[in-house]
Amino acid sequence: MRQVVAMMTSKDFEAKQIVFVFLQNKEKISFRNDNLTITDKDGKIKYQITCYRIFALFVVGHFVLTSGIIQRSHKFGFPIFLLTNTMKVYDSLGGKMEGNTLLRKKQYKYKGLNIGRHILLNKVTCQREMLNRQRDKDTEMKGAITLLDGYIDSIQKHDGDLESLLGLEGSAARIYFRNHFNNIEWNGRQPRIKRDFVNATLDIGYTILFNIIDCLLRIYGFDTYCGVLHRQFYMRKSLVCDLVEPFRVIIDGAVRKAINLGQCKEDDFRLVNHQYMLNWDKNPDYVKFSMMAILDHKIQIFNYIQQYYRSFMKGRAIKEYPVFMME
């Protein structure tokens, strides 16, 4: 018997919205019929949306779950992500499709490296394009682009193991970040360590992007813990880690632009236990410039995940898998 699964179309997704609620600003969530309403500290309606149009709900700050919000999450199929005041996700619920057993069997059976190599090739190609977009490229920048061309060629021809493939990607990343953030004093990318305000800002943007990719993968019924590049590790959503890679440049570009415009600066952060933490009143501003960049590529991201699902399910040749390109 052929397994048939009803899926969201790109037209459906285009009409969907991603909602953020900042409870530390004393905003409150309520429901009126099938509408979600957010009120400010004075009880005035700040935002209202029909639940039919919610793609995902992000709640920042301390939150008490009610039966009403859980019921609507399941009824309308949108996930709820709960975040701390420092924008760290501590739980999520709802918004996933159950029962796509054929897909999961294919996931558990796949042991190759072709898809992972394809993803990293796409990532480094996007990084190269980001550098190439900078105006008035000096000799160092031109040299960095040439070096990335070499890494792109090496990844294309790679026939070794996973460790050596990741080594190529890591070397390319160091060159990319050093030159992409040449508008500040850059000390290197260190995920989650938050050693400076730029690393902390990247973590915020990457977290939002990660959860959107997670939502999309759940629509199709993927086991998001079963990756093709990042190998399985306890409680790590390896497949999300994989498919977020080509899209990280969206956040990189948004952060560089925000620095240049004075929207992202060290004064917005405080130092806690040697880590840069964004002041809570600045959370909406940082979410805004990250989300605007993501939404500019909203349909591209949706189409990529949709095409990835179709290619994986049908066992297509790697050349038929999706490729993300900056527009």
Side-chain angles (χ1 to χ4, degrees):
M1 181 181 293
R2 184 179 179 183
Q3 189 170 7
V4 180
V5 185
M7 298 298 179
M8 182 186 296
T9 66
S10 59
K11 186 176 181 180
D12 295 332
F13 183 64
E14 191 169 6
K16 296 285 186 177
Q17 294 188 25
I18 298 166
V19 181
F20 274 83
V21 183
F22 296 92
L23 298 178
Q24 69 266 49
N25 291 347
K26 298 184 179 180
E27 295 178 350
K28 293 183 179 180
I29 303 172
S30 61
F31 290 93
R32 299 179 182 180
N33 298 321
D34 288 333
N35 296 317
L36 179 146
T37 300
I38 301 171
T39 54
D40 62 19
K41 61 182 179 180
D42 298 319
K44 295 181 180 179
I45 295 177
K46 181 178 178 181
Y47 184 74
Q48 183 169 300
I49 182 174
T50 172
C51 292
Y52 288 99
R53 294 191 65 187
I54 300 175
F55 176 67
L57 173 63
F58 291 79
V59 182
V60 183
H62 298 296
F63 181 61
V64 178
L65 282 174
T66 64
S67 58
I69 193 170
I70 295 173
Q71 288 169 0
R72 286 172 175 83
S73 169
H74 286 285
K75 178 180 178 180
F76 297 100
F78 62 84
I80 302 168
F81 291 94
L82 305 179
L83 293 80
T84 66
N85 289 337
T86 57
M87 304 299 291
K88 180 180 180 180
V89 176
Y90 64 87
D91 207 351
S92 66
L93 67 151
K96 60 183 178 181
M97 189 193 74
E98 303 286 358
N100 197 342
T101 55
L102 179 59
L103 169 62
R104 295 198 172 197
K105 285 179 180 178
K106 288 179 177 289
Q107 281 190 269
Y108 303 147
K109 186 178 179 180
Y110 181 78
K111 303 297 181 184
L113 197 54
N114 283 346
I115 300 176
R117 182 171 59 244
H118 176 79
I119 291 169
L120 290 187
L121 179 62
N122 192 177
K123 176 184 180 178
V124 179
T125 300
C126 286
Q127 291 175 335
R128 192 257 186 215
E129 175 60 20
M130 286 296 288
L131 296 189
N132 194 48
R133 290 186 176 197
Q134 289 195 29
R135 298 179 181 178
D136 302 321
K137 292 182 282 293
D138 58 17
T139 302
E140 183 177 357
M141 181 65 70
K142 292 177 181 178
I145 292 170
T146 299
L147 287 173
L148 288 187
D149 284 336
Y151 281 111
I152 289 169
D153 184 62
S154 295
I155 292 172
Q156 283 179 317
K157 296 176 180 177
H158 179 271
D159 62 357
D161 58 14
L162 176 62
E163 184 176 354
S164 59
L165 178 61
L166 292 175
L168 291 171
E169 183 271 335
S171 297
R174 285 189 288 274
I175 294 168
Y176 162 71
F177 277 114
R178 183 173 66 248
N179 288 274
H180 179 70
F181 287 113
N182 60 359
N183 56 338
I184 58 166
E185 184 178 342
W186 177 252
N187 296 311
R189 172 67 183 144
Q190 289 191 314
R192 296 174 296 280
I193 294 178
K194 306 182 192 304
R195 62 180 290 178
D196 54 52
F197 78 99
V198 179
N199 270 286
T201 304
L202 288 171
D203 286 345
I204 292 170
Y206 290 160
T207 295
I208 297 169
L209 180 62
F210 181 96
N211 289 313
I212 291 171
I213 300 293
D214 185 29
C215 290
L216 288 169
L217 288 171
R218 287 203 237 175
I219 288 172
Y220 294 96
F222 279 101
D223 181 344
T224 57
Y225 293 89
C226 182
V228 295
L229 178 63
H230 295 83
R231 297 312 191 202
Q232 281 64 19
F233 186 77
Y234 181 69
M235 295 302 290
R236 179 175 69 187
K237 294 188 175 184
S238 297
L239 185 62
V240 188
C241 293
D242 293 344
L243 296 187
V244 80
E245 293 289 4
F247 302 106
R248 288 183 183 273
V249 291
I250 296 172
I251 301 301
D252 302 340
V255 174
R256 178 184 167 87
K257 181 179 178 181
I259 292 170
N260 288 339
L261 294 175
Q263 299 170 333
C264 173
K265 52 187 181 295
E266 192 168 7
D267 291 345
D268 293 338
F269 294 77
R270 65 191 186 280
L271 201 58
V272 180
N273 295 326
H274 306 291
Q275 292 191 331
Y276 278 75
M277 298 295 179
L278 182 64
N279 294 323
W280 65 266
D281 61 321
K282 292 293 182 179
N283 278 339
D285 298 333
Y286 279 63
V287 167
K288 182 178 180 180
F289 68 68
S290 293
M291 275 302 306
M292 286 180 64
I294 293 170
L295 293 177
D296 283 343
H297 299 87
K298 176 180 175 180
I299 299 303
Q300 286 176 280
I301 295 171
F302 176 85
N303 288 337
Y304 181 100
I305 300 300
Q306 183 184 68
Q307 291 171 34
Y308 180 88
Y309 168 75
R310 292 172 176 171
S311 297
F312 190 82
M313 282 293 286
K314 294 180 180 180
R316 291 174 176 168
I318 198 63
K319 64 182 180 180
E320 297 184 57
Y321 273 72
V323 174
F324 170 66
M325 298 297 292
M326 295 290 293
E327 292 183 348

